[in-house]
Amino acid sequence: MAAYPQDPGAPDAPYLTFWQERHLCTLTTLRPDGTPHVVPVGVTYDPEARLARVITNKSSAKVGHVRNAGPDGARVAVCQVDGRRWATLEGRARVRAEPERVAEAVRRYATRYGRTPAPNPDRVVIEIELTRAMGHG
């Protein structure tokens, strides 16, 4: 089976371009019983910081799963697919509520997805410190 590893801090140009295009993604977290919880999300990828970001509501199940994992963060994956192109980013997720971190995540979301989300006082960002990247852009 072919492997398509990428350096999460320095991906090749086609891979990075794929993450800059507008695509719906999935986020996979683990429930307390260990089963996967997979939901559609918007994701932004910042290879220089080795981060992926997902903006969401603080009361969402995905936020609960990440918080329940404890201070070391939750192991998660985000993925996108478009025909034969696919990309997965893996790492440790933590929930961040600091206004500057949320604002940066919203700014990046607006750039990638072409729209600024409506203000939401309950918005947080799931930041994923990337440990692995793979795919074929």
Side-chain angles (χ1 to χ4, degrees):
M1 181 173 186
Y4 298 98
Q6 293 282 335
D7 178 344
D12 66 31
Y15 190 83
L16 182 57
T17 297
F18 187 37
W19 277 107
Q20 293 168 340
E21 297 169 1
R22 187 180 193 278
H23 292 286
L24 187 61
C25 304
T26 60
L27 168 68
T28 302
T29 59
L30 297 178
R31 296 181 182 100
D33 67 1
T35 59
H37 177 255
V38 183
V39 293
V41 293
V43 176
T44 61
Y45 174 33
D46 181 357
E48 291 178 1
R50 293 180 73 100
L51 286 176
R53 295 175 178 92
V54 175
I55 56 175
T56 188
N57 194 296
K58 68 182 180 183
S59 64
S60 69
K62 57 189 160 285
V63 166
H65 298 153
V66 172
R67 285 189 169 146
N68 287 340
D72 289 337
R75 294 187 54 87
V76 303
V78 290
C79 184
Q80 65 182 21
V81 172
D82 181 37
R84 294 180 60 105
R85 298 184 307 159
W86 62 276
T88 299
L89 300 169
E90 297 178 15
R92 291 260 177 203
R94 291 176 182 81
V95 178
R96 306 301 298 254
E98 299 92 334
E100 65 279 3
R101 289 186 179 269
V102 174
E104 177 64 7
V106 168
R107 183 190 71 76
R108 288 175 178 276
Y109 178 96
T111 298
R112 182 175 189 197
Y113 290 98
R115 69 173 193 82
T116 301
N120 177 355
D122 292 332
R123 181 172 290 129
V124 294
V125 57
I126 297 173
E127 287 186 348
I128 306 163
E129 294 176 18
L130 300 174
T131 56
R132 180 181 291 171
M134 61 188 121
H136 188 69

